Every structure is written in C-alpha cells, then in structure tokens.
Amino acid sequence: MTAPNILTKLIQLAGNVGNAFTSALFLADPVEQTLQLKHFHSLSQAVDPHTRLAFGEGPIGQVAALEQPILQEHFTQDSSVLKLYRQPEDLKGFMAVPVKSDYLLGVLALD
C-alpha cells in the first residue's frame, strides 16, 4: 500500500470511528507557518480541497499554533470559522488534534 493510500485509509477510519461528517488531515509547513489540506473524507460536497490556513487562523490553525487539541462537543459557531467549507454546514461537534513526532506534522480535524 502506498503512503497516500495509507493516509486516505487512516482518514476514513478516523472519520468512521468518530462518526464524523468530515475528517481532514492538514499538513504543516513550519517555514511558512501554514496548514494545507492534504487528505479528507466527507459527506459534504462543500469541502474546499484547496484549503490553506495560517497557524492561529480559526480553530484548526489554533491547534497548530498552540499544539494543543480542541474539542467542542456542541459546535454553535458558523461553520465558516473553520475555513474548510465553501458554504455553511450544520455541524454538531468539532475536534482537532495536533499530529506530532519530534515536531508538528499537521492537524487532524473531525466534525
């Protein structure tokens, strides 16, 4: 199995285990201090596959900046704050966790 295929399967598994509407893996660019959407699995047709976030931008970017997870069991904000969707989505909850080794590799987001 190739690396991209393994990541795709892991994203799908994370989404299935978390009963997620969308599961997304953002890869970190520590030089530019940005996150780029790399792999995702979603029931939404509104996911923007070209999503790029600055560290600190929105909840996903905050996870990258602080390297701390975020969990919002009752997501009451407008989904546009996530910068992931091209149109509003009715989300029930949100979780994002940093993906780390010796340094930040990315952020895994589930909603």
Side-chain angles (χ1 to χ4, degrees):
M1 203 179 289
T2 65
N5 196 12
I6 291 170
L7 286 176
T8 299
K9 295 291 184 192
L10 286 172
I11 297 304
Q12 290 173 346
L13 178 62
N16 289 339
V17 168
N19 195 25
F21 183 63
T22 299
S23 53
L25 176 64
F26 292 83
L27 293 185
D29 181 337
V31 174
E32 292 188 22
Q33 297 283 290
T34 60
L35 295 166
Q36 177 71 46
L37 180 60
K38 183 67 175 173
H39 296 280
F40 70 93
H41 180 68
S42 182
L43 298 174
S44 174
Q45 298 297 313
V47 172
D48 181 358
H50 306 291
T51 302
R52 187 175 193 89
L53 304 168
F55 283 19
E57 181 181 2
I60 297 168
Q62 288 175 3
V63 170
L66 302 174
E67 295 188 16
Q68 295 293 318
I70 289 177
L71 172 63
Q72 295 177 341
E73 290 187 38
H74 303 286
F75 191 80
T76 57
Q77 303 173 48
D78 185 319
S79 63
S80 65
V81 73
L82 298 178
K83 313 287 187 196
L84 179 60
Y85 299 103
R86 292 184 293 250
Q87 65 188 39
E89 292 287 359
D90 183 24
L91 305 178
K92 306 298 182 228
F94 174 75
M95 178 177 74
V97 294
V99 178
K100 295 168 51 173
S101 180
D102 293 333
Y103 56 92
L104 180 71
L105 300 172
V107 173
L108 175 64
L110 303 171
D111 62 44

